[in-house]
Structures are given as C-alpha cells and as structure tokens.
Amino acid sequence: MLYRYFLLFAFFMLPTIVKSQPGWRDFTTRYYYMILDREGNEISFVKNKAYSIIIDSVQYRSPAIPNDSLRPVKRYQREGFDNYIRINDFSLRIPQGKYNSYVPLEIKIIHQKDTMYLNQTTGIGSGFSERLRINGQKDSEDTKPASDYSLRFIGGRYYFPNWAKTVWDNKPEPTGEVAFVNLDQRHFRIPKALYDSLALRKIDYRTRDQLTKRADDYVVQNFKRGCFLLNKRIEPTKFYNPALPFKEPYWDDALNPTKNKDVFFGRVRYSKDSLNESNWKYVFSLYDKRENSIRHWFPVNDIHSFSSGYLYKNPFNGVVYQEVWRVDKQQMAQKGYIPPKRHLYQSDDEGQTWKESLEMTQTFTKHDLEHIEFLDSDFAVGYGRKDVQHKTRKYTIKQVTYYLLKNGKAVDSIQMANDFYETVNYLERHNHSWFAVNDAMVLGIWNYNFNGAVEKNFFQIILFKNQNGWQFKAEEKQYVRPAVLGCIKRNYNTYTEYRNFNLINKKELRFKNNSGSLRLQNQVADHPWNSGVVVLEKDDHIYLLDNSNGFTYFSFDRGRSWYIYPKPLEQRSDYQFLEIDDQGIISFFNPSKLYKAFYQFIPES
C-alpha cells in the first residue's frame, strides 16, 4: 500500500533567515537532507562504504567524508556567502561566488545501481528556528535539526514544488483505519529530460518559469495517476449587453439576493486601456445563477459618460438606491474638464427598472454624504466630512457631520467637535456588515483615550429612537480603566452532525462507519467564502476544500480512505454558490473571473 511510505517522508519547514535585522539578509544557500534506508534508519556515510555522494561532479566516499563546520554567518555579513550541504553525517561548505538561487548545485546519492538526484536548494539562510515539529514532536529550544527534508533512499530525479513541505506539515491526522492512499515520495520524481532542463545554469527567467510550471504539473499528475481522475469544465458567464468597448469585467461587489432565488444584484467593474485612454468604471448588474448570465442597466446610452457608484438597499421595504456619476460630454467639449455629478436612482423591483430620486439626489449632493444606513422604512442616517481648521492647532481636520434622513430629506444633523485629537466614526462604509439597528446606537466618539495611559473624559454621539422617530444626542462620558480579569479556561465540545461523520470542535471528523477519525489543521468554515475548510458531501463521498492551505482532500468510502489533490479547485476563489449534484459534480461561480466551474473526482479502478 502506498501509505506505508508516508511516515518516512516527513518535511520540515524552516525559515530562511535567523532573526535578521532590517535591511540585512543571510544569503547562505542550504542543501539539508536526511536520507533513510529501507528500515527507516539514518544512513551513516562515514561508516557505510556502500553509499557515495557526488556534489557537482566531485565524489565522496567513506572514509573520506567531509565534516565542515556549518555555523551561522555573522550578522551584517555582506559578501562571501557559501553553499551549506548537510546530508546526515556529511557536511560540506562550498564558496558561492555571486549569489544566485537559480544556479543550484547538483547532488547525487549513489547506492549500488540506484541514484537519487537532488538539484534544489532546501532553504536560504544559515540558521534555524527555535521550535520545529519533528515527526510530530517539538524540539527543545537548544536542539538544531539537521535537515529540511527527510527522504527514504529511492532512486530517481526529484523535484519539490513550493507546496511540497506544506502538504505534509499541514495534512490532517488520521486515526484507526483511516489512511491517505496517494501519499508517496515517488510522486516527486520527474523525467530525466525535464530534470536536466531545470538543472541548466544558463537559462533565462521566463524559460525557467515555464519549466517550473511543467514540473509542478507533472508532480500533480503523479498524485492523480492510478488513484483518481479529475474532470474539469469551465462555462464562461454570458453577457446580454456587455459594456463595450470596456473590457476585463469582474464582479466587484456583494452578490445581493433578491426575491428570485436565482437572481442577485451588484456591480461589475470594467477597464479600458488604449493609447489615448486608461480608465475603469462600474456598471449595475443582475446575475442569474441558473442561466449563468449577466444583464447590465445603463442610465444613459453613452457608456463613456457614467459610472455606477455605491448601492444601498433598504431592508425594511426592499427599495434599492444607486449612486451614478455622470458627465456632460457636450459641456466638457465647450468648457474643458467638468467634475462628474452625482445622481441617485431608485428601484422598487430589486434592480429590474430604475428612476431618478430627485429628493435623494439633492440630499446627497447638498451634504456630500459618503454613506447611509437605513433605520426603518422611512428613516436613514448618514454622514459627510469636510476639512476645517482645528480649534487650537495649526492644521486641518476632517470634521464629521451626521444627518438624519426622512424619506430622502435631511431633517436633523449633529457635528463632532473641531478640537478632537482622536476620533472613531462607527458609521463608515467598512463597518456596514456590523451595523445593526437598535433603540440607541453610538455613531461616533472623539477625544477618547485609546491607549489607556491617562484617564480622560470622552464624548460620543448617540442616535436613539423616540415617539416621533429618531433623535441625536451628544454626551460626555468618563473613561473607566477596564478591570484585568483572570483567564477562565472552559472545557466544552461543539458538535455538528453531517451525513458521514460527526464534527467535534470544528476540527475533528469522527466517521459513522467506525473506521476512525481525521483531525484537521484548520477549522471547518461556516461559509464557503470564509477562511478554513469547506465541507461537501454526496452519498458516500466527502470533500474537504482547504482554503487556508490550498489543498483538496476527498474520500469515496465514507471517510476510510482519503486522497489528496495538492491544489485548490480555484486559486483565490470564494466558491460562490458552491454545490454538488446527484452525479457528484461540484460547481461554483467565480466572481473575479466571471465563469462557472465544474469539477468531478472519479475513483480510478
């Protein structure tokens, strides 16, 4: 079984620099390997004449095995860096000349008719981190590990992608009969022609990048070969009315739901680059999930004369407002540059049709509102900022004014003071997801003593509900230093039931077929777009999409046997509308690239 090689192929992640100072780097090139025999014991090259090592055509065999000192270099050393080679009890220093990580040494380890070829550096820097995981154990602070890679002696030409260490260091931990099927050191071997091409010293960066990608892909195919097949299909999103001549569209907004479960609204961003023009714009868009299509709304026919701004949906009555910045090209032709004017459009049917709201347009323009939040079907609160002279200092500050809006018209306002030295505005746009309507809400504070060094009073603006609607209030509060409480440790388990397993504390999968468990390095995410592990199930199949590490783990037999696909399904994707159908096809929408992706993992018998 391929899994028997797993324990012998442990990777150790080491930092490249040891407590380096700003502006200084240790350019020592490391080649630190531990080579084990068939029984898993470390080979002694000093004592065993059956093995020899060749470093760049120079052969070493017992008893003439070098034992050079590989001490960390002195800080602030500027030149004269060496190559450090440590392979078990073999240690050698070779002058590096001009530093170039693209010109690695070639190492050959020979035993009888078999040869291991290693031509990659294992790290940069001559020192070690203080604590590392070694075969599941933590070293003490004084212990210095001897290797970056631990490999069994198996002949072949090896190539390790940049994710090679992570795939082992951060793999889930199985117990009982649970095991990984396709973890094998042999997967990191590549053909001679590709290996020799990567080892060429006089090669341009572009060609080397292409060769590296080929080698990466070859290793990924090794993980699949004989274990599973992967079918992938991309369906580009259809545009009913693209904003030509602008190009490179991508969804740059939230996918806001509507009453139609398949339709979502937001904005698509376009760009345009030419000899005479380079700009970008936003366009209001409706995405139909079932059709995988996008339909735009244009306030005017000329695509060059407008750009959509922020969207505001009133959750109490469903009305959507849209900022639109428009320019009059005829006036610009006559008078030169004229700043675009802001208009507010209103939709009562979730973006299907629009009309300009003159009341909201006048309010936003008059008070230069930057953001609003709705309080109920009639009222909203917003803010604007303007530069004012500080009351006692010789500089300007951004003074915040809050406005109470009723049916689109400002009916009340309140200002922060003009003498603050620190302020927080809780109504800013980036706090939108945290905004919640309550009977009393703190909108902003100033002169607050954030560092807690001196106990001073501070001021806050509150918006509270009354019989007539809403009212502002400014009040002075006394700063109270928070009490330091002892940490109380509570031991409790969270429990979530899935079809094939029970999830304990968001990390441990206990399988219902009594095969054992799988403990994850990262927590299971609550949503596909969150960092962590995303879970999908269909019948006996379990899929774990690890957004943190970029790997995909899956099982076809309810969790007993596991496979690793050492890539994410999509790079930097939040897996919008992630689902799996009756045929086991995983699908999702990629908003940054505007296509729908389909993946199917099939066991290879």
Side-chain angles (χ1 to χ4, degrees):
M1 188 176 181
L2 295 175
Y3 175 66
R4 65 180 180 271
Y5 297 109
F6 159 65
L7 292 176
L8 298 176
F9 188 38
F11 288 91
F12 311 135
M13 184 75 84
L14 295 176
T16 59
I17 307 170
V18 182
K19 297 181 180 179
S20 62
Q21 301 300 314
W24 177 78
R25 285 199 64 182
D26 179 356
F27 287 112
T28 301
T29 307
R30 288 200 312 271
Y31 299 82
Y32 286 1
Y33 293 94
M34 179 182 292
I35 307 299
L36 310 176
D37 60 19
R38 291 182 178 180
E39 288 72 36
N41 300 316
E42 182 179 339
I43 298 169
S44 174
F45 294 98
V46 173
K47 299 178 181 179
N48 195 332
K49 294 184 178 181
Y51 292 87
S52 64
I53 297 176
I54 296 178
I55 309 291
D56 272 10
S57 302
V58 179
Q59 187 169 19
Y60 303 88
R61 188 190 299 271
S62 176
I65 296 297
N67 186 28
D68 293 351
S69 173
L70 304 180
R71 296 178 178 274
V73 300
K74 295 180 179 179
R75 289 183 184 178
Y76 306 114
Q77 178 174 321
R78 296 295 181 183
E79 56 185 15
F81 293 100
D82 295 330
N83 296 300
Y84 279 19
I85 304 102
R86 174 180 284 139
I87 309 172
N88 300 357
D89 53 2
F90 174 104
S91 58
L92 177 67
R93 296 176 62 158
I94 299 177
Q96 201 180 85
K98 185 177 181 181
Y99 172 73
N100 188 348
S101 61
Y102 289 101
V103 185
L105 304 173
E106 182 178 61
I107 299 173
K108 299 177 186 178
I109 304 174
I110 303 171
H111 177 63
Q112 296 177 357
K113 295 182 180 181
D114 294 324
T115 302
M116 286 185 73
Y117 296 80
L118 305 166
N119 74 343
Q120 285 178 276
T121 62
T122 64
I124 305 298
S126 57
F128 304 92
S129 63
E130 295 180 345
R131 290 188 179 274
L132 296 164
R133 293 181 65 85
I134 306 294
N135 290 331
Q137 303 294 324
K138 286 187 176 181
D139 263 13
S140 66
E141 294 186 4
D142 296 331
T143 302
K144 293 184 177 180
S147 64
D148 292 337
Y149 292 86
S150 182
L151 307 172
R152 192 170 190 171
F153 182 85
I154 301 174
R157 291 165 174 82
Y158 285 85
Y159 170 81
F160 302 108
N162 55 16
W163 46 261
K165 296 178 183 179
T166 308
V167 78
W168 296 94
D169 286 350
N170 295 325
K171 70 169 187 62
E173 299 175 5
T175 66
E177 300 173 7
V178 179
F180 283 94
V181 176
N182 65 331
L183 285 177
D184 190 340
Q185 176 181 320
R186 291 175 174 84
H187 292 339
F188 294 92
R189 297 187 301 185
I190 61 176
K192 180 179 184 302
L194 182 55
Y195 178 90
D196 290 345
S197 297
L198 283 167
L200 293 174
R201 301 200 172 188
K202 293 184 178 180
I203 188 172
D204 61 84
Y205 293 107
R206 180 175 298 179
T207 303
R208 187 173 297 279
D209 287 343
Q210 293 172 351
L211 291 171
T212 298
K213 185 180 184 304
R214 283 178 52 194
D216 284 358
D217 292 342
Y218 193 93
V219 172
V220 171
Q221 293 303 316
N222 285 343
F223 272 80
K224 294 167 50 181
R225 195 170 287 116
C227 295
F228 62 89
L229 301 174
L230 174 59
N231 294 332
K232 178 182 177 180
R233 179 170 64 89
I234 296 298
E235 179 186 292
T237 301
K238 179 173 63 176
F239 286 80
Y240 282 104
N241 51 344
L244 300 175
F246 288 83
K247 299 179 180 180
E248 300 177 359
Y250 64 91
W251 197 275
D252 192 42
D253 215 335
L255 284 154
N256 299 283
T258 67
K259 294 177 183 178
N260 185 335
K261 64 180 180 62
D262 291 322
V263 177
F264 300 79
F265 71 84
R267 296 178 302 162
V268 168
R269 173 169 165 162
Y270 283 88
S271 62
K272 181 182 179 183
D273 289 301
S274 65
L275 293 176
N276 300 320
E277 183 180 9
S278 179
N279 58 29
W280 48 264
K281 70 169 59 268
Y282 291 95
V283 180
F284 177 84
S285 308
L286 289 170
Y287 175 70
D288 189 310
K289 182 179 68 170
R290 183 174 56 84
E291 295 183 354
N292 186 28
S293 64
I294 287 178
R295 191 185 303 273
H296 296 315
W297 174 79
F298 304 136
V300 294
N301 292 329
D302 186 356
I303 190 67
H304 293 87
S305 62
F306 77 92
S307 181
S308 295
Y310 293 121
L311 303 173
Y312 302 96
K313 181 176 181 178
N314 189 330
F316 302 97
N317 58 20
V319 176
V320 181
Y321 294 92
Q322 175 189 177
E323 289 181 297
V324 175
W325 297 89
R326 288 169 46 182
V327 295
D328 189 323
K329 297 185 70 175
Q330 185 175 358
Q331 287 189 4
M332 288 184 64
Q334 296 173 354
K335 301 179 181 180
Y337 174 75
I338 298 176
K341 293 183 179 180
R342 179 160 55 171
H343 300 258
L344 267 291
Y345 286 81
Q346 174 182 331
S347 174
D348 298 325
D349 52 11
E350 299 179 310
Q352 298 292 334
T353 59
W354 294 87
K355 62 182 178 181
E356 184 171 3
S357 172
L358 297 179
E359 194 73 70
M360 289 287 276
T361 296
Q362 293 172 4
T363 300
F364 267 69
T365 302
K366 179 179 179 180
H367 303 292
D368 196 17
L369 296 184
E370 296 185 25
H371 183 65
I372 63 171
E373 293 284 354
F374 291 99
L375 304 171
D376 53 38
S377 58
D378 298 320
F379 285 91
V381 60
Y383 78 91
R385 292 182 296 177
K386 62 179 180 179
D387 292 327
V388 299
Q389 181 71 32
H390 193 281
K391 185 177 180 179
T392 59
R393 305 295 176 88
K394 294 182 179 180
Y395 55 78
T396 60
I397 57 176
K398 292 283 187 181
Q399 187 178 35
V400 177
T401 302
Y402 296 100
Y403 297 91
L404 181 65
L405 278 59
K406 182 178 181 181
N407 297 324
K409 184 177 181 179
V411 294
D412 195 8
S413 65
I414 190 171
Q415 280 186 335
M416 283 189 178
N418 63 349
D419 61 349
F420 62 78
Y421 60 90
E422 287 175 310
T423 182
V424 175
N425 176 16
Y426 294 116
L427 203 61
E428 288 198 41
R429 172 168 293 278
H430 63 261
N431 293 322
H432 168 71
S433 59
W434 301 98
F435 183 83
V437 177
N438 296 301
D439 290 343
M441 296 167 285
V442 177
L443 301 181
I445 57 178
W446 70 93
N447 279 14
Y448 186 89
N449 183 38
F450 290 97
N451 58 26
V454 180
E455 296 183 5
K456 282 186 176 182
N457 289 358
F458 65 95
F459 301 85
Q460 63 185 22
I461 290 179
I462 298 176
L463 179 65
F464 64 92
K465 195 171 186 178
N466 59 23
Q467 294 180 348
N468 299 319
W470 298 85
Q471 185 176 346
F472 291 118
K473 180 182 178 182
E475 61 181 12
E476 184 176 1
K477 301 286 287 186
Q478 184 178 3
Y479 173 77
V480 179
R481 188 184 300 275
V484 179
L485 301 177
C487 179
I488 301 175
K489 185 176 182 180
R490 293 181 173 88
N491 294 318
Y492 61 91
N493 292 330
T494 61
Y495 175 93
T496 307
E497 184 172 4
Y498 288 78
R499 177 185 176 88
N500 292 296
F501 61 91
N502 294 318
L503 179 66
I504 310 300
N505 295 334
K506 293 191 173 183
K507 277 194 171 184
E508 184 180 0
L509 284 65
R510 296 181 185 173
F511 301 107
K512 294 181 179 180
N513 60 7
N514 296 319
S515 60
S517 67
L518 191 70
R519 184 170 181 81
L520 308 176
Q521 299 294 332
N522 300 301
Q523 288 189 351
V524 170
D526 295 327
H527 304 284
W529 50 86
N530 292 148
S531 177
V533 180
V534 179
V535 176
L536 279 176
E537 287 184 290
K538 187 62 181 179
D539 299 329
D540 294 345
H541 293 195
I542 309 171
Y543 301 88
L544 305 175
L545 315 182
D546 194 332
N547 290 339
S548 298
N549 292 327
F551 303 129
T552 305
Y553 311 98
F554 53 95
S555 170
F556 300 122
D557 57 3
R558 304 184 63 195
R560 186 182 302 273
S561 303
W562 284 87
Y563 300 85
I564 292 181
Y565 178 57
K567 293 178 67 176
L569 297 188
E570 293 282 312
Q571 293 286 353
R572 297 181 297 278
S573 177
D574 52 8
Y575 299 119
Q576 290 284 351
F577 312 128
L578 179 70
E579 57 187 11
I580 184 168
D581 66 13
D582 293 338
Q583 286 73 44
I585 299 176
I586 300 170
S587 64
F588 56 88
F589 174 60
N590 189 321
S592 62
K593 297 180 180 178
L594 293 181
Y595 60 64
K596 197 170 182 179
F598 300 85
Y599 288 81
Q600 185 180 26
F601 293 91
I602 304 171
E604 188 171 359
S605 57

